[in-house]
């Protein structure tokens, strides 16, 4: 009870700190909030001292940040989130409408993600149901390509081709269920590909457990066994699913921008850009509450699905030796990627040739040219230095932080909930406000949130693995916590988490690209991949190669990440001598487990 109370207090402190930090945004930018409000309301009016003083009195800014925060919190206690600084309208109705739109979009996107994950796992489920998983090798290149496509690029292609050219579905606005299909596809397809890869990683272990062998011996259908195998693996993925819920609600800013959806992410972003503090705080608070509800529901569902097995330490390990993936695919993808980068580095990415605008691919320009006549191969190659190296460094740091924080879930779980409630776009705005703009802004923003899914995955796998029979038996023989962590838990948990980190490497690059697409990352004439996509997006219909070139390289990076992750499937260490190694201090090690 005391630990639960401490966790609740820690969660409240983090949420309060986040909301207060958001409340300081107008002052952190080192600009006068009254001046920003004046320009948003009436750009022609002169910002005289008298006019600015009148706006400060009207908005209650005279008392400074503590006074503004106090008034806002006092209003919340009475169900009043205040009035918008820009429009003067009540904040709460608008935020609730935006939240409703985002929740509907999130629900449809989750349905698309579930269907996509099912397609990714279909081969493993079919082989497992037929007891033919013995020689299965890790695959998933197609799902890697799908997961690597930028959401805003998928959204733009769907809006242009399906919505405008073919006219099958509406592409702009938000007037009914039909308007949710295309944005839900743009959000759900990449998310489903990631979830499908994580589930596909666990399914072979579930099909190899004793209950599956017994069920097959009793004559149960393969479909029933496959359904129970999915049910067995889902608890380890539910915490990450809770993160997806919040990410699809508040982090879908680029997709909401493309489809002109009045969702919560877009509303919060616009409020942050305009320094409309009441709307920004209400939107952030809604995301924090949604994160707490989603992650709490995910943990409760995981406990219900596993039942008393976790408490009694009666689970089997899902992490078993698997046939290693073929060695040549990652080498092939790495060679192609290296060749593209090397050829691009040999060219000048800044040379302008107005007579070569939007030229199709040719021998002189293998990837074509952009709207200014610059060689796209050169820009993609030079942009790799800004995108690939930065994404790799962020992923490595996120992996280290995620594993370390995943070892202490009581500390990290509330922190994950709070961090996940803030979209990277909003983090980028906060970083820009504090440290100023520049190339480091997207790196700091993405790095601040990239560790959260890995920490959640680590904590979930540790909880599942700690309840397995062999760990229970080893603990009963006198093994200490350090020994169990070093010799039993980490060897089982680190490989899947490392594969997860590799799967998210393209996602980190996409997050950097998304910030560049929204104008919060690198600035022209930088060849950063997100900026390339943003610059060439208006010409996607006329010159599709200008967008497909950086998108294809991102897809290639995803294929490389997944195939490299499959190559990490090595056998676990033998447990014939549990007592080998240095014993933990003050604990007697078991001699052997037969």
């Amino acid at each position: 009870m005391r630990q639960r109370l401490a966790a609740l207090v820690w969660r409240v402190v983090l949420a309060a700190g986040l909301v207060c930090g958001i409340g300081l945004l107008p002052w952190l930018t080192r600009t006068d909030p009254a001046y920003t409000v004046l320009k948003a309301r009436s750009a022609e009016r002169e910002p005289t001292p008298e006019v600015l003083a009148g706006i400060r009195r009207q908005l209650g800014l005279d008392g400074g940040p503590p006074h503004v925060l106090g008034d806002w919190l006092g209003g919340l206690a009475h169900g009043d989130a205040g009035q918008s600084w820009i429009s003067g309208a009540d904040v709460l109705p608008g935020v609730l409408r935006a939240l409703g739109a985002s929740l509907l979009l999130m629900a449809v996107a989750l349905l698309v993600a579930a269907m996509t994950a099912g397609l990714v796992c279909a081969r493993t489920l079919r082989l497992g149901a037929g007891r033919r998983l013995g020689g299965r090798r890790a695959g998933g290149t197609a799902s890697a390509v799908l997961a690597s496509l930028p959401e805003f690029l998928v959204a733009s292609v769907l809006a242009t081709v399906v919505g405008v050219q073919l006219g099958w579905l509406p592409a702009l606005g938000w007037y009914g269920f039909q308007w949710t299909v295309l944005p839900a596809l743009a959000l759900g397809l990449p998310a489903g590909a990631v979830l499908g890869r994580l589930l596909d990683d666990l399914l072979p272990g579930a099909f190899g457990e004793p209950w599956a062998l017994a069920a097959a011996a009793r004559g149960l259908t393969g479909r029933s066994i496959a359904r129970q195998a999915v049910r067995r693996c889902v608890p380890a993925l539910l915490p990450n699913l809770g993160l997806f819920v919040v990410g699809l609600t508040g982090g879908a800013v680029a997709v909401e921008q493309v489809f002109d959806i009045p969702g919560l992410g877009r509303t919060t972003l616009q409020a942050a850009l305009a320094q409309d503090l009441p709307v920004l705080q209400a939107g952030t608070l809604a995301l924090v509450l949604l994160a707490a509800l989603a992650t709490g529901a995910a943990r409760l569902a995981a406990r219900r699905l596993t039942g008393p097995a976790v408490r009694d330490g009666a689970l089997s390990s899902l992490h078993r030796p698997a046939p290693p993936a073929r060695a040549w695919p990652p080498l092939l993808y790495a060679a192609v990627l290296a060749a593209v980068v090397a050829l691009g580095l040999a060219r000048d990415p800044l040379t302008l040739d107005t007579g070569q605008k939007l030229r199709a691919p040719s021998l002189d320009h293998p990837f074509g040219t952009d709207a200014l006549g610059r060689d796209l191969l050169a820009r993609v190659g030079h942009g790799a230095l800004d995108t690939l190296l930065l994404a790799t460094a962020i992923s490595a740091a996120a992996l280290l932080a995620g594993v370390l924080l995943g070892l202490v879930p009581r500390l990290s779980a509330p922190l994950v909930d709070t961090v996940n409630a803030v979209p990277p776009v909003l983090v980028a705005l906060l970083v820009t406000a504090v440290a100023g703009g520049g190339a480091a802004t997207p790196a700091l923003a993405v790095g601040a949130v990239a560790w959260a899914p890995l920490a959640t995955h680590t904590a979930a796998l540790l909880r599942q693995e700690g309840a397995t029979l062999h760990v229970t038996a080893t603990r009963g023989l006198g093994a200490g916590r350090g020994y169990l962590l070093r010799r039993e838990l980490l060897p089982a948990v680190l490989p899947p988490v490392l594969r997860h980190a590799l799967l998210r490497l393209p996602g980190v690059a996409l997050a950097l690209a998304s910030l560049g697409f929204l104008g919060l990352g690198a600035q022209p004439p930088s060849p950063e991949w997100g900026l390339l996509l943003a610059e060439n997006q208006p010409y996607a219909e006329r010159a599709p190669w200008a967008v497909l070139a950086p998108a294809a390289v991102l897809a290639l990076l995803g294929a490389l990440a997944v195939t490299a992750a499959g190559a990490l499937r090595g056998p676990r260490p033998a447990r014939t001598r549990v007592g080998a190694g240095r014993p933990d201090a003050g604990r007697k090690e078991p001699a052997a487990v037969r």
Side-chain angles (χ1 to χ4, degrees):
M1 184 63 183
R2 182 177 301 175
Q3 291 178 339
R4 291 182 179 179
L5 181 60
L8 178 61
V9 172
W10 174 230
R11 192 182 300 272
V12 171
V13 168
L14 288 173
L18 174 62
V19 173
C20 291
I22 296 295
L24 293 175
L25 181 61
W27 288 271
L28 292 174
T29 56
R30 295 177 291 276
T31 59
D32 189 350
Y35 179 80
T36 304
V37 173
L38 174 64
K39 288 301 180 184
R41 290 181 177 180
S42 177
E44 301 82 11
R45 196 173 179 185
E46 286 295 327
T48 62
E50 294 77 12
V51 171
L52 294 178
I55 292 178
R56 292 191 196 97
R57 286 193 300 270
Q58 180 185 359
L59 299 180
L61 297 176
D62 290 338
H67 178 72
V68 172
L69 285 175
D71 288 348
W72 183 74
L73 292 174
L76 279 182
H78 297 88
D80 180 15
Q83 285 74 40
S84 168
W85 285 1
I86 306 301
S87 65
D90 288 339
V91 167
L92 195 56
V95 169
L96 291 178
R97 283 194 299 270
L99 178 61
S102 293
L103 289 178
L104 176 59
L105 176 59
M106 176 267 294
V108 182
L110 282 181
L111 179 61
V112 173
M115 296 172 63
T116 305
L119 292 175
V120 172
C121 301
R123 176 172 174 265
T124 301
L125 289 171
R126 185 178 67 253
L127 294 177
R131 312 302 303 166
R132 292 180 285 119
L133 265 178
R136 183 190 78 102
R137 291 180 178 271
T141 302
S143 63
V145 172
L146 183 60
S148 303
L149 292 177
E151 294 170 347
F152 55 85
L153 177 61
V154 177
S156 299
V157 171
L158 289 175
T160 302
V161 177
V162 180
V164 177
Q165 294 183 347
L166 299 178
W168 290 349
L169 289 167
L172 293 176
W174 190 255
Y175 305 104
F177 181 78
Q178 296 181 49
W179 280 262
T180 67
V181 177
L182 292 183
L185 287 173
L187 289 171
L189 290 175
V194 174
L195 285 175
R197 291 301 309 163
L198 295 178
L199 179 59
D200 194 65
D201 193 34
L202 297 175
L203 280 173
F207 279 117
E209 289 184 338
W211 67 264
L213 302 175
R218 288 180 61 87
L220 267 69
T221 64
R223 181 174 298 180
S224 298
I225 297 175
R227 186 166 56 248
Q228 292 301 319
V230 172
R231 184 180 185 275
R232 170 69 179 89
C233 298
V234 163
L237 300 180
L238 278 175
N240 269 286
L241 184 60
L243 299 186
F244 273 105
V245 167
V246 184
L248 292 176
T249 305
V253 180
V255 174
E256 291 177 354
Q257 291 276 60
V258 170
F259 289 100
D260 194 24
I261 298 174
L264 187 60
R266 185 185 180 197
T267 299
T268 306
L269 173 62
Q270 291 175 343
L273 292 174
Q275 293 191 7
D276 194 349
L277 182 57
V279 177
L280 178 59
Q281 285 181 304
T284 304
L285 183 61
L287 287 173
V288 170
L289 294 177
L290 178 63
L293 291 174
T295 53
R299 293 190 184 102
L300 180 61
R303 291 195 184 104
R304 293 294 298 273
L305 286 174
T306 53
V310 173
R311 182 195 63 202
D312 298 338
L315 290 177
S316 298
S317 177
L318 290 175
H319 309 288
R320 303 186 175 208
R326 295 181 179 89
W328 63 265
L331 296 178
L332 175 62
Y333 297 137
V336 173
L337 185 60
V340 170
V341 173
L343 291 174
L345 290 176
R347 298 165 176 256
D348 187 353
L350 301 178
T351 300
L352 302 179
D353 187 352
T354 56
Q356 298 289 324
K357 293 180 180 179
L358 299 176
R359 293 289 183 180
S362 62
L363 291 178
D364 293 334
H365 304 285
F367 283 2
T369 62
D370 64 8
L372 296 177
R374 295 173 296 191
D375 184 75
L376 280 173
L377 176 58
R379 294 186 65 74
V380 168
H382 284 266
L385 299 179
D386 297 327
T387 304
L388 286 180
L389 297 180
L390 191 57
T392 302
I394 293 174
S395 298
L399 174 63
L400 179 61
V403 170
L404 293 178
L405 288 172
L407 297 176
V408 283
R410 294 187 184 278
L411 171 67
S412 63
L415 188 59
V416 166
D417 296 346
T418 305
V419 166
N420 191 63
V422 187
V425 174
L426 186 54
V427 178
L429 290 173
L430 291 173
V431 172
T432 303
V434 176
T441 297
L444 294 174
V446 175
V449 299
W451 59 269
L454 300 177
T456 300
H457 196 195
T458 301
L461 292 179
L462 279 174
R463 185 169 179 268
Q464 293 270 315
E465 191 70 19
T468 55
L469 289 169
H470 70 85
V471 172
T472 303
T474 307
R475 187 183 295 112
L477 291 173
R481 291 184 178 180
Y483 177 86
L484 288 173
L485 183 66
R486 186 177 67 252
R487 299 296 298 273
E488 299 292 337
L489 298 177
L490 286 180
V493 169
L494 283 180
V497 174
L498 181 55
R499 290 194 292 270
H500 186 182
L502 282 173
L503 290 176
R504 287 195 171 272
L505 174 61
V508 171
L510 293 185
L512 295 171
S514 297
L515 294 178
F517 178 79
L518 294 170
L520 298 175
Q523 300 299 316
S526 170
E528 193 269 332
W529 288 353
L531 188 58
L532 289 183
L533 289 166
E535 289 175 342
N536 296 308
Q537 193 67 39
Y539 313 100
E541 186 175 355
R542 176 183 169 189
W545 56 84
V547 173
L548 290 178
V553 181
L554 278 171
L556 183 63
L557 175 62
L560 172 61
V562 166
T563 52
L568 294 175
R569 299 172 181 269
R572 292 179 58 189
R575 294 193 186 92
T576 54
R577 293 290 300 174
V578 181
R582 278 183 80 178
D584 290 343
R587 297 300 302 267
K588 183 179 180 181
E589 299 288 0
V593 173
R594 300 292 180 186

